[in-house]
Amino acid sequence: MHLIMILTAFSVAWGLRSFGRVPQGNWNLRWRRSLFLFLFPPLLLFMTAIAVLCMGPQGKMAGMYTGWGSYLLALIYLGFFSIFCIKLAIEGWQSVQSARNCPLVNFGNRQIRLLNTGALFAGQIGFWQPELVLSQGLLQTLSREHLESVLAHEQGHYHYRDTFWFFWLGWVRSCTAWLPNTDSLWEELLVLRELRADGYAASQVDPLVLAESLLLVVSNTPVVSEICCAALGSPTGDRLEQRIDALLAPPEPIPAAQLHSWHGFLLAFLPLITVIFHT
């Protein structure tokens, strides 16, 4: 019976990823649907594995005997999840330590980490409380007005805690890279993250100046890992045009997170209910 649960969860997860397309429309619609398609299938598989683990390898469920095969399968699956989490946490910690090795300097009314490179780079590096890192090349190349627009964008990443939330989303991506459309949904979430930070910055600085800064920074090769990093020039495939168009268009309001938008994720916890039918 446990094996049937696992196969059912796998079929649902695969089907959602296979037939669910990257949505079009406004920012809010794209964000909610992309996040659901990206996060729901792994969450369903994760909850199914936890349910099987809680029920154990012995006993009956719906009149059918359970066995060690499905139990070990769930245990191995959760073990891989844990290994990937530890691996990404170590890589993230190394990124943070690398940023903290950069000298701390005062820039206006802010404290920043100064990266000794001629490349143009600006980013938040860390987890819940990231630090702002700017390169010497950026400070030497951009005008004061352009620098203010870059700082406003990075403040948007800090405001939304993007480094923290995308660390966990990156973990999900690593664990379920074998599911269909993982990379396309990941790229969509990345560009939506940048659009949100761009929108935050555009409410404080001239959007045209921010667009000019974006073109300058994105033309440079990234100098740090994307783990625990939210940078102005984050890799977004061929979607730079979307960001420029969004900055030049009338501003689109980004609504605050609402509880009802998470209701669909509750369905992923249904496998846990099966525990009460296990004897």
Side-chain angles (χ1 to χ4, degrees):
M1 188 61 186
H2 290 175
L3 186 58
I4 294 176
M5 285 177 56
I6 293 173
L7 291 176
T8 300
F10 174 82
S11 299
V12 172
W14 191 274
L16 277 174
R17 281 291 190 84
S18 297
F19 300 107
R21 297 181 178 179
V22 174
Q24 302 297 319
N26 60 35
W27 186 94
N28 188 38
L29 179 64
R30 289 171 63 187
W31 175 260
R32 286 191 290 109
R33 290 189 177 179
S34 296
L35 188 62
F36 181 81
L37 290 174
F38 183 82
L39 197 54
F40 182 86
L43 187 60
L44 178 64
L45 293 171
F46 188 71
M47 289 299 113
T48 301
I50 288 179
V52 171
L53 208 63
C54 290
M55 288 185 282
Q58 298 177 341
K60 286 184 179 182
M61 183 179 173
M64 301 176 64
Y65 284 98
T66 59
W68 279 95
S70 55
Y71 180 82
L72 290 176
L73 187 62
L75 190 62
I76 292 171
Y77 184 73
L78 292 176
F80 274 114
F81 259 62
S82 301
I83 291 171
F84 276 118
C85 184
I86 294 171
K87 176 179 178 293
L88 285 179
I90 292 173
E91 292 176 356
W93 180 80
Q94 290 173 342
S95 295
V96 172
Q97 291 301 113
S98 177
R100 288 179 178 172
N101 287 334
C102 298
L104 189 64
V105 300
N106 292 319
F107 182 77
N109 59 350
R110 301 177 176 88
Q111 283 194 323
I112 65 168
R113 295 285 179 179
L114 187 60
L115 190 62
N116 185 22
T117 177
L120 305 187
F121 174 80
Q124 297 282 354
I125 299 180
F127 289 90
W128 185 256
Q129 293 283 351
E131 292 189 275
L132 179 60
V133 179
L134 301 180
S135 68
Q136 288 184 339
L138 187 82
L139 297 180
Q140 294 169 358
T141 304
L142 268 60
S143 67
R144 184 73 183 187
E145 188 179 21
H146 285 97
L147 283 172
E148 287 298 329
S149 68
V150 170
L151 294 176
H153 175 92
E154 294 307 323
Q155 183 60 34
H157 284 309
Y158 183 88
H159 175 76
Y160 293 111
R161 307 291 179 180
D162 284 336
T163 52
F164 177 80
W165 297 116
F166 272 79
F167 168 79
W168 296 109
L169 291 176
W171 171 49
V172 172
R173 176 202 181 196
S174 299
C175 295
T176 56
W178 48 272
L179 282 174
N181 296 321
T182 296
D183 287 339
S184 60
L185 287 168
W186 173 253
E187 290 296 327
E188 175 72 358
L189 290 173
L190 279 180
V191 78
L192 291 172
R193 179 188 75 175
E194 297 306 314
L195 285 171
R196 181 171 63 180
D198 288 342
Y200 180 93
S203 66
Q204 303 179 41
V205 299
D206 186 348
L208 182 58
V209 174
L210 178 58
E212 292 172 351
S213 303
L214 177 61
L215 287 172
L216 287 170
V217 176
V218 170
S219 63
N220 282 257
T221 304
V223 295
V224 294
S225 167
E226 67 179 62
I227 301 173
C228 299
C229 175
L232 179 67
S234 293
T236 53
D238 59 352
R239 301 187 178 184
L240 174 61
E241 185 178 349
Q242 284 190 47
R243 296 177 62 184
I244 299 298
D245 290 342
L247 286 170
L248 300 181
E252 178 183 329
I254 297 178
Q258 296 178 350
L259 185 60
H260 67 79
S261 64
W262 294 90
H263 286 172
F265 289 98
L266 294 177
L267 296 174
F269 292 85
L270 286 178
L272 295 179
I273 299 177
T274 61
V275 175
I276 63 178
F277 299 106
H278 182 83
T279 57

